[in-house]
Every structure is written in C-alpha cells, then in structure tokens.
Amino acid sequence: MFSLYDLFMRPLEKRGIKQARKRLMAQASGSVLEIGSGTGANIKFYNFDLITDLTITDKKLSKRIKKLDQIPAKFIEADVSALPFSDDSFDTIIHTLVFCSVKDVSKGLLELERVLKPNGKIIFIEHILPEHGFLKRTFKFINPLWKRVSSGCNLTRSYVDSLEQEGFEIVESSKFMKTVFVSGIAIKK
Ligand SMILES: C[S@@+](CC[C@H](N)C(=O)[O-])C[C@H]1O[C@@H](n2cnc3c(N)ncnc32)[C@H](O)[C@@H]1O
C-alpha cells in the first residue's frame, strides 16, 4: 500500500530519483544513520551485507516506518539539529529530500559532521534551485507561498555549496531532472 506522499512522488521517482536511490544506497556501509526517513523510500535499496548497524531517524517517525519492524534497524525520533548520538559514531549518513525543510542548514550539517567518523561519508539526494531560465524564475517566484503550504520546504537552496562551506569534500555530485535535483557523496575531511 502507498502513502499519499509516495503517490505524489511516483512520477518524480520514475524520472530519476529512484535510479539515484538505487545507485547511491548500495554504497552505504558500516555503521549507517539515515536522517529524515519519511515513509522509508531508501530502505529497499540498502545492501544489508555491507551494513553492520542501521539507525533510522526522523523528527517525526511516520506510522508507516514504525511498522517496518522486520528491518534490522533502530528507529529513533530526532531532529537533525540535535542528534542523540556520540561524536564519531557513523561511517555513513544518508539523507534524501530533507535539507530543503531544515530550518538552519549550517547547524544540521555541523551535527552530521560531529556524529560522522573521520573520512565517513554523507550520501545525499536533495532538490535545489534549478540553474537556468524559466524553472529558476518559477521556483523563486513560488517559493514564499510554497514554504507556507509545504511545512517549510524551500525551493531555492544550493545544498552542495552548504556542504562545501561546512568543510565537507564533495567526491561525487550530479544534477538531474533539469537540475532540480542533486545527488552525490561528500566526505568528512
Ligand atoms: C520530503 S520527506 C523525505 C522523506 C524520505 N527521505 C524520502 O526520500 O522520501 C522529508 C522528511 O524529512 C523530515 N525532516 C524535516 N526536517 C527535519 C529535521 N530538522 N530533522 C529531521 N528530520 C526532518 C520530515 O519529517 C520528513 O519525513
């Protein structure tokens, strides 16, 4: 059974997000933390042979994900800006379509850096301000209204720039679907 969110996302998943999830989630390894898990769209793409332990978090865990008790994971309600984990805890952190609605991106990224082990990786898929023309102007124009009706989802962020500003090294980054989305991997230096 699909949630409303999954139904809304279905066309976008088909146009590239699903492929990005499949390619990137297979690279999650060691001690893994997922932030903002939502309905759990990434879980089926994890390679559990590479994962020693999995912690799934969201600021509000969905009913749907709480039902996935057959998955070998801990489920913890936590905001990315105050994670209940020790420094240097994880080899891999995953977040997909989350940082558009995180109030203070810099604070969230500092938390990721804190709980990530040295040389640990962040695997991400985020939507960003498209690069060119009509889409860019439209995203900027509708953003104030969109933020109000979509629980603070921001259409005009440059997520990779934020990662670089916080000192992460971008080892892979590719934009897709007319540069509306970016996916990739960043390392804690
Ligand atoms: C658009 S959904 C994406 C869900 C899922 N990651 C996916 O790719 O389909 C955004 C999720 O991020 C969570 N989220 C938003 N802000 C957050 C924060 N500050 N800390 C933790 N989770 C957050 C929301 O509760 C929601 O479940």
Side-chain angles (χ1 to χ4, degrees):
M1 202 177 76
F2 278 95
S3 70
L4 270 180
Y5 172 78
D6 291 331
L7 276 178
F8 173 78
M9 288 297 292
R10 211 187 244 186
L12 298 174
E13 294 284 345
K14 278 191 182 157
R15 290 184 60 198
I17 298 176
K18 185 174 172 187
Q19 209 183 346
R21 291 190 201 277
K22 204 171 177 177
R23 188 173 56 79
L24 287 168
M25 299 316 137
Q27 298 178 57
S29 58
S31 188
V32 176
L33 169 68
E34 178 164 352
I35 302 286
S37 54
T39 56
N42 293 320
I43 291 175
K44 59 177 172 287
F45 300 115
Y46 288 141
N47 178 354
F48 284 94
D49 291 341
L50 301 179
I51 295 176
T52 52
D53 57 272
L54 174 61
T55 305
I56 291 193
T57 65
D58 200 297
K59 70 175 182 185
K60 181 100 181 73
L61 285 170
S62 67
K63 282 186 192 149
R64 194 175 154 77
I65 207 154
K66 282 182 190 163
K67 285 186 189 152
L68 297 178
D69 50 8
Q70 75 282 16
I71 302 289
K74 279 175 263 170
F75 296 90
I76 296 176
E77 219 152 75
D79 192 296
V80 68
S81 60
L83 293 170
F85 309 114
S86 310
D87 297 358
D88 302 346
S89 293
F90 298 98
D91 298 291
T92 307
I93 296 180
I94 287 149
H95 59 78
T96 60
L97 312 176
V98 175
F99 268 83
C100 54
S101 51
V102 170
K103 273 193 194 133
D104 186 339
V105 174
S106 174
K107 195 171 175 190
L109 288 179
L110 283 173
E111 268 301 81
L112 298 195
E113 202 205 357
R114 183 184 67 75
V115 301
L116 200 54
K117 292 179 188 173
N119 297 315
K121 58 179 178 266
I122 293 181
I123 293 178
F124 61 88
I125 304 173
E126 292 293 339
H127 67 76
I128 51 173
L129 182 65
E131 276 170 10
H132 307 293
F134 175 73
L135 270 182
K136 184 176 187 176
R137 288 194 298 278
T138 308
F139 273 43
K140 280 186 167 176
F141 181 71
I142 65 172
N143 195 44
L145 178 64
W146 179 255
K147 273 198 287 186
R148 280 203 230 157
V149 298
S150 63
S151 312
C153 170
N154 202 310
L155 295 172
T156 61
R157 288 195 167 152
S158 311
Y159 177 68
V160 174
D161 292 348
S162 302
L163 277 172
E164 283 176 328
Q165 277 157 23
E166 298 308 331
F168 288 96
E169 182 187 348
I170 313 298
V171 291
E172 185 188 324
S173 169
S174 59
K175 294 179 181 171
F176 60 101
M177 232 185 286
K178 297 192 188 299
T179 71
V180 170
F181 293 92
V182 65
S183 65
I185 299 178
I187 303 283
K188 172 176 169 178
K189 284 194 248 181

Short mmCIF file of all heavy atoms in Angstrom, two decimals, residues 38 44 137 162 170:
data_model
loop_
_atom_site.label_atom_id
_atom_site.label_comp_id
_atom_site.label_asym_id
_atom_site.label_seq_id
_atom_site.Cartn_x
_atom_site.Cartn_y
_atom_site.Cartn_z
N GLY A 38 11.20 9.64 6.48
CA GLY A 38 9.86 9.72 5.86
C GLY A 38 9.18 8.37 5.84
O GLY A 38 9.11 7.68 6.86
N LYS A 44 14.64 -0.19 0.81
CA LYS A 44 14.73 -1.39 -0.04
C LYS A 44 16.01 -1.40 -0.90
O LYS A 44 16.35 -2.41 -1.49
CB LYS A 44 13.51 -1.53 -0.93
CG LYS A 44 13.21 -0.39 -1.85
CD LYS A 44 11.98 -0.75 -2.71
CE LYS A 44 11.47 0.40 -3.54
NZ LYS A 44 10.79 1.42 -2.73
N ARG A 137 13.32 30.96 -12.41
CA ARG A 137 12.44 32.11 -12.09
C ARG A 137 11.17 31.63 -11.39
O ARG A 137 10.71 32.22 -10.42
CB ARG A 137 12.08 32.87 -13.37
CG ARG A 137 13.23 33.67 -13.95
CD ARG A 137 12.72 34.66 -15.00
NE ARG A 137 12.07 34.00 -16.15
CZ ARG A 137 12.73 33.48 -17.18
NH1 ARG A 137 14.05 33.53 -17.24
NH2 ARG A 137 12.07 32.90 -18.17
N SER A 162 26.41 24.56 0.54
CA SER A 162 26.37 24.50 2.00
C SER A 162 27.33 23.43 2.53
O SER A 162 28.04 23.64 3.51
CB SER A 162 24.95 24.18 2.50
OG SER A 162 24.05 25.13 2.04
N ILE A 170 33.43 17.20 -1.54
CA ILE A 170 32.44 16.58 -2.45
C ILE A 170 33.19 15.62 -3.35
O ILE A 170 34.05 16.04 -4.13
CB ILE A 170 31.72 17.65 -3.32
CG1 ILE A 170 31.24 18.84 -2.49
CG2 ILE A 170 30.59 17.03 -4.12
CD1 ILE A 170 30.23 18.52 -1.43
#
